[in-house]
Amino acid sequence: MRPDVVFYESFSGNGMLCNPEAIFRALLDDPEFAHIKHVWTLRSRRENRSVIREFAHHPRVRFVRHGSVAYYRSLAISGYLVNNATFPPEFSKRERQVYLNTWHGTPLKRMGYDIGEPASQVGNVIRNFLNADYLLAASPFMVDQMYERAYRLKHLYRGQIIEEGYPRIDRQFLSGEAAAAARVRLAAAGIDLRGRKVILYAPTWKGTNFNRPEDDAAELIARVAELASQIDTERYVVLLKTHQVVHKFATHRPELRGLLVPNEIPTNVVLGVSDILITDYSSVFFDFLPLERPILFFTPDIDDYAGYRGLYIEPEEWPGPVVRSVGELAGELIRLDQLGVSIDTARKHAIMRARFCLHEDGNATARIIDIVFRRNEGGYRILRAATDERTSILIHAGGMRPNGITSSLISLLDSIDHDRFDVSVVFPNSRRRAVLDRQRQLNPRVRQIARVGGMNGSKLSHWIRRSSARRAALGIHGTDAIQRRLWDDEWQRCFGSSRFDHVIDFSGYAPFWATLMLHSPDAHRSVWLHNDMAADAHRVIRGRRRHLRNLLGVFSLYREYDHLVSVSESLRTINSTSLAEFAPSGLFVSARNLMNGDRVLAGAEANIVEQATEAETGAVAEWCLRLTDPRFSGTTFVTVGRISPEKNHRRLIEAFALLQKVRAESRLVIVGDGPLNEQLRKLVDTLGLTNSIIFTGQQLNPYAIMAAADCFVMSSDYEGQPMVILEALVLGLPVVTVAFGSAGDALPDGVGLIVPSTSVELANGMAEFITGRVPARALDFEAYNRNAIAEFYDAVGLAPASQPSERSRRPI
């Protein structure tokens, strides 16, 4: 570690810009910090030639290329880290480093989770914030609205929030000499001001992804040219300052020569010599407010933009005219030139300054340096993220694929008392549509965290980790110092300094996650057992025991957990016996999965035809046409589940073939998809059942299809807790299932029919239904859930509602 080195990054290396630039220059000029060395990362030396020339021979300043070996080395060994956005996913703050994240502006447009984007879009931002020692806020609005709400840092972030203004805004309070220097710098870039007043047009970037913005250079060029044609260019010059992420699209356009402000000139320096600002939804207008100069808002796309992205402050409150055309914009500029700022606009301007610029007095940089580099906190506004008495829970959700585990988790999160518990869910990063659909179903009060990036560590440490995984000897993660450090570092990389009272591996199948959860500091730990786990480990799939190595690794960690939670009492008995060599019986407990009966009933009301209609073409899926054929008047059986070996659809199809011989007026609907899909379709063809068996494929809403059937049928070899049986009972469907370990737990006494696990017996059971001998009764899912959530709280060691835990009472 080099405690005398400060490493700076702005906008992923796009320049020496924003708050880090202001802090850097102040430190460099302060004799007290003459011992400090400074490292800047830049993506392009060509785009930053002037700053490189400025410091080329400075003994305490050097530059590294973003993403290079030198970049990662500097990021790893520098004592201080200053960033206005995010370090890459590989970054993990080391114990003695001090990380200041300044961010890059007060948001007008919605941020983070407020946009409604998947967790993957904000995963690296959240990760950086949680690793930071200090977050910088220009105003209380940033603390409350952006950090605590939009990025859900309330009750999670354990660092400090400094609310003392923005260093970059100091840069725009220019003395006469500094203003002259800024004009000279613009002239050197080919911008001839000729003593004219500056109208700065500074729009934000457009698009739905910050890393892949739209190229709107042609549109910006046309707007600047049209505006210049309608104003007095002898008195005014219109300059364009693009957002740094789209500057690359504009920098080589010859039409903008002499009008485009180079990216390497800090925006706030340009604001300091600007007389009028034109912007749209950019945070730059908040920076301009302290100068008390006119602001105009040009928003031709405000309806689309506000609809997609959303705004925190309505246009009616903005401190300047809001227009939609260049003609209107030119008219407002002429009116401003003739009449000055209106009384109403001046009033709004004053309100905005009081709300957002309380600390912008030109000395914010000095205060930040005093706090971060001198560790002098006295008299400054330094905050902790808001917290409360709720108990914090972190749940690993698994891969969030459409399966029973995911459905159970969604229902659990809908039933947890969020007034008592602060719940975070973590899952691997994914862009698969089916996974994102399930993430959107998570309760909105749950904080979603996507794990982005991968583990750091030496090749040797990873060779040892993989070797121990192959031997299913994962206990080395806690006994070997190098391995313990490897996993502790990964926890730090993912969650920073955050702490959780309880951590839960709800998946229970992944050795990586089962190990990582054990490195949560000072937490109560539980892992879920969704099946007969020993049998699952030895299950042969396509000629191989595919789960064996992974599950043996997970089993080797069981002793380190506080609770091993099976999803039914019968499974608890099975698992405690078959896994006795891995954990004492006292660790095995049970808690039934919860279900969302309201979602089942609402889904059942959906129109099947509308659900199966292609939006673009209007074509209705072939399976739907067959299912809704009014000419069919027989019995419809339905099954729902992944088409995989353990579900044993083959036995069901063979049983249905036997039934068809005596009950031809019946059909079978198979909802789901999976690796055996094509194999089963061939079997259906071979048995001549193509006209009697309907494959629907995977369905986001299977309940409308289930509700259209007469009887639910299941042929699984094993299940943990078959939630689909409970869902069928909510719909009032009779149930016929083969016998497996937890079948009896799923069906209430006197309801449904459990038959021996053969095709003949299953066919007989289906025939029993047709003759009216399978009893049915709708499930009271509300009463069921009340009991199940109580079992959950008890299983993981959470106190009853009337008895807060000692941890939840402990001051933070």
Side-chain angles (χ1 to χ4, degrees):
M1 289 292 298
R2 296 285 303 277
D4 60 341
V5 176
V6 185
F7 181 78
Y8 305 89
E9 180 173 322
S10 285
F11 299 115
S12 301
N14 277 7
M16 185 183 285
L17 304 166
C18 195
N19 292 307
E21 187 252 3
I23 294 170
F24 158 72
R25 290 184 181 276
L27 282 173
L28 192 66
D29 292 342
D30 192 330
E32 181 182 347
F33 298 103
H35 64 288
I36 286 184
K37 299 176 177 62
H38 307 267
V39 181
W40 270 95
T41 180
L42 298 173
R43 279 190 184 276
S44 170
R45 287 182 171 267
R46 183 172 57 82
E47 296 290 339
N48 293 278
R49 284 173 292 194
S50 68
V51 296
I52 290 176
R53 282 197 303 269
E54 181 181 357
F55 298 103
H57 303 293
H58 199 294
R60 293 190 289 120
V61 180
R62 70 185 184 95
F63 300 93
V64 296
R65 182 170 55 84
H66 192 274
S68 65
V69 172
Y71 168 83
Y72 285 110
R73 177 172 175 77
S74 296
L75 186 56
I77 69 171
S78 298
Y80 290 88
L81 309 173
V82 183
N83 199 326
N84 78 334
T86 59
F87 290 118
E90 296 88 345
F91 163 69
S92 177
K93 189 181 80 72
R94 296 174 67 186
E95 185 176 347
R96 288 178 291 157
Q97 286 181 312
V98 176
Y99 177 15
L100 167 63
N101 190 295
T102 71
W103 203 240
H104 49 267
T106 300
L108 173 62
K109 48 189 179 285
R110 292 189 182 275
M111 304 289 287
Y113 294 107
D114 286 350
I115 306 174
E117 292 289 348
S120 59
Q121 296 282 36
V122 298
N124 197 41
V125 178
I126 296 292
R127 211 183 56 78
N128 269 261
F129 286 166
L130 295 180
N131 272 274
D133 298 279
Y134 300 100
L135 300 177
L136 200 54
S139 66
F141 176 82
M142 278 192 72
V143 177
D144 178 63
Q145 187 62 65
M146 193 185 97
Y147 289 132
E148 293 186 352
R149 296 186 185 181
Y151 286 104
R152 307 292 293 274
L153 296 187
K154 181 178 180 180
H155 204 64
L156 183 68
Y157 176 62
R158 293 166 60 88
Q160 294 178 301
I161 303 174
I162 304 173
E163 188 199 303
E164 285 290 346
Y166 250 20
R168 74 183 191 186
I169 295 179
D170 293 352
R171 300 276 282 141
Q172 67 198 35
F173 291 101
L174 302 177
S175 65
E177 181 182 349
R183 289 175 176 266
V184 168
R185 194 171 179 184
L186 289 169
I191 298 173
D192 184 10
L193 299 181
R194 289 182 293 164
R196 294 175 291 178
K197 290 186 175 182
V198 174
I199 299 173
L200 183 67
Y201 178 35
T204 191
W205 62 281
K206 297 298 191 297
T208 59
N209 189 313
F210 184 81
N211 296 313
R212 293 188 294 275
E214 294 178 5
D215 179 358
D216 61 347
E219 191 174 27
L220 297 178
I221 291 168
R223 289 174 181 172
V224 171
E226 185 181 354
L227 179 61
S229 71
Q230 298 184 44
I231 63 172
D232 184 355
T233 54
E234 292 299 316
R235 297 183 59 213
Y236 294 97
V237 59
V238 180
L239 303 184
L240 174 64
K241 183 68 177 80
T242 58
H243 192 284
Q244 54 84 29
V245 297
V246 296
H247 186 77
K248 59 187 176 184
F249 300 131
T251 187
H252 300 299
R253 298 296 290 261
E255 305 96 320
L256 291 175
R257 189 171 296 117
L259 301 174
L260 180 67
V261 177
N263 198 46
E264 61 181 336
I265 301 180
T267 299
N268 294 84
V269 172
V270 183
L271 289 177
V273 297
S274 298
D275 299 279
I276 300 171
L277 173 67
I278 301 171
T279 187
D280 46 15
Y281 323 101
S282 172
S283 65
V284 72
F285 97 80
F286 291 103
D287 289 26
F288 201 61
L289 283 171
L291 295 176
E292 300 187 38
R293 298 172 190 169
I295 306 170
L296 287 80
F297 296 89
F298 179 44
T299 59
D301 58 346
I302 190 168
D303 293 334
D304 292 337
Y305 195 87
Y308 152 66
R309 185 72 186 260
L311 302 168
Y312 287 125
I313 304 170
E314 294 303 316
E316 293 77 17
E317 302 176 63
W318 296 357
V322 182
V323 300
R324 297 193 180 211
S325 70
V326 174
E328 290 178 287
L329 184 60
E332 290 293 343
L333 286 169
I334 294 170
R335 187 176 299 108
L336 180 65
D337 185 58
Q338 295 174 347
L339 303 175
V341 176
S342 71
I343 294 175
D344 184 57
T345 295
R347 179 184 61 81
K348 293 178 180 178
H349 208 289
I351 292 172
M352 283 283 184
R353 291 197 306 274
R355 184 179 178 189
F356 297 104
C357 306
L358 284 172
H359 311 293
E360 306 305 351
D361 57 2
N363 297 306
T365 307
R367 293 192 291 270
I368 303 308
I369 288 175
D370 204 22
I371 294 167
V372 176
F373 293 90
R374 294 191 184 97
R375 303 297 176 91
N376 179 15
E377 300 181 359
Y380 295 122
R381 187 165 174 77
I382 303 172
L383 313 170
R384 295 282 184 181
T387 187
D388 51 43
E389 292 299 305
R390 290 182 298 165
T391 299
S392 59
I393 304 173
L394 175 68
I395 301 176
H396 167 235
M400 291 294 292
R401 291 181 297 179
N403 57 30
I405 293 177
T406 301
S407 296
S408 299
L409 176 67
I410 291 171
S411 299
L412 170 64
L413 296 175
D414 281 336
S415 299
I416 282 180
D417 185 351
H418 294 281
D419 291 329
R420 291 181 57 210
F421 304 108
D422 178 87
V423 183
S424 301
V425 168
V426 62
F427 39 72
N429 196 19
S430 175
R431 301 186 189 280
R432 293 176 56 192
R433 180 176 177 180
V435 171
L436 297 180
D437 285 341
R438 295 313 184 278
Q439 290 176 13
R440 293 186 186 99
Q441 292 180 15
L442 293 177
N443 189 290
R445 295 189 66 180
V446 172
R447 183 186 298 107
Q448 298 185 35
I449 302 174
R451 176 181 176 265
V452 295
M455 252 179 141
N456 292 316
S458 69
K459 290 183 179 180
L460 174 61
S461 61
H462 281 289
W463 180 85
I464 295 171
R465 178 179 66 85
R466 287 190 291 269
S467 176
S468 63
R470 284 192 294 270
R471 292 182 286 107
L474 300 187
I476 192 175
H477 79 95
T479 58
D480 179 85
I482 294 175
Q483 289 296 296
R484 185 168 59 250
R485 178 64 180 269
L486 179 74
W487 285 98
D488 285 345
D489 285 351
E490 177 62 7
W491 176 270
Q492 171 74 34
R493 192 189 71 84
C494 292
F495 303 106
S497 61
S498 56
R499 297 291 184 269
F500 302 93
D501 299 316
H502 289 257
V503 295
I504 297 170
D505 180 7
F506 195 78
S507 167
Y509 279 87
F512 172 88
W513 287 99
T515 306
L516 184 62
M517 292 295 101
L518 291 171
H519 287 260
S520 56
D522 188 29
H524 211 73
R525 302 177 181 96
S526 304
V527 62
W528 247 244
L529 286 63
H530 287 278
N531 273 309
D532 175 346
M533 302 303 287
D536 220 359
H538 292 86
R539 195 80 56 190
V540 176
I541 303 173
R542 295 181 183 176
R544 292 175 51 200
R545 292 184 293 182
R546 294 179 177 270
H547 293 313
L548 181 60
R549 182 183 296 168
N550 281 351
L551 283 180
L552 287 178
V554 174
F555 297 164
S556 72
L557 300 173
Y558 276 176
R559 289 182 184 275
E560 300 180 56
Y561 277 88
D562 299 297
H563 305 287
L564 309 176
V565 187
S566 296
V567 295
S568 71
E569 182 58 24
S570 61
L571 275 180
R572 185 200 65 78
T573 302
I574 292 170
N575 285 324
S576 64
T577 301
S578 61
L579 300 173
E581 65 180 290
F582 298 103
S585 60
L587 295 184
F588 290 88
V589 295
S590 69
R592 290 174 293 171
N593 286 322
L594 286 94
M595 62 177 309
N596 191 324
D598 290 326
R599 179 181 294 138
V600 173
L601 294 175
E605 294 295 323
N607 185 294
I608 296 178
V609 175
E610 291 179 2
Q611 182 175 313
T613 300
E614 173 63 40
E616 294 183 4
T617 65
V620 179
E622 185 267 343
W623 65 262
C624 181
L625 295 175
R626 293 176 60 192
L627 181 61
T628 58
D629 187 344
R631 294 171 295 179
F632 180 80
S633 59
T635 302
T636 300
F637 293 93
V638 65
T639 191
V640 179
R642 189 165 185 263
I643 301 181
S644 52
E646 72 276 7
K647 302 299 183 182
N648 207 333
H649 287 83
R650 171 179 285 273
R651 176 168 55 206
L652 175 58
I653 291 170
E654 291 173 347
F656 183 73
L658 295 174
L659 179 69
Q660 274 275 296
K661 294 178 180 179
V662 295
R663 299 286 185 177
E665 65 288 356
S666 58
R667 63 183 178 181
L668 173 64
V669 181
I670 299 176
V671 181
D673 203 351
L676 301 184
N677 187 46
E678 290 304 315
Q679 181 179 325
L680 291 181
R681 287 176 182 268
K682 290 178 181 178
L683 174 63
V684 168
D685 289 341
T686 301
L687 295 175
L689 297 173
T690 304
N691 294 327
S692 300
I693 295 182
I694 302 172
F695 289 89
T696 73
Q698 181 66 42
Q699 297 294 317
L700 185 61
N701 172 27
Y703 307 119
I705 300 171
M706 293 170 66
D710 301 296
C711 178
F712 182 84
V713 60
M714 176 170 272
S715 182
S716 296
D717 289 330
Y718 63 95
E719 293 277 346
Q721 184 188 11
M723 298 305 296
V724 68
I725 287 183
L726 297 181
E727 291 166 346
L729 294 177
V730 168
L731 295 173
L733 284 175
V735 174
V736 176
T737 178
V738 298
F740 50 84
S742 58
D745 289 340
L747 284 172
D749 292 340
V751 174
L753 178 64
I754 301 175
V755 300
S757 301
T758 67
S759 299
V760 172
E761 293 296 341
L762 184 55
N764 289 338
M766 296 163 76
E768 290 272 308
F769 165 73
I770 293 176
T771 57
R773 293 199 290 268
V774 175
R777 184 175 71 242
L779 177 69
D780 182 350
F781 62 86
E782 292 179 344
Y784 170 87
N785 278 344
R786 285 194 296 271
N787 292 328
I789 194 66
E791 292 173 9
F792 167 80
Y793 292 150
D794 185 60
V796 300
L798 290 166
S802 59
Q803 184 183 338
S805 68
E806 179 181 350
R807 186 184 301 272
S808 71
R809 294 195 301 267
R810 191 174 62 193
I812 303 227

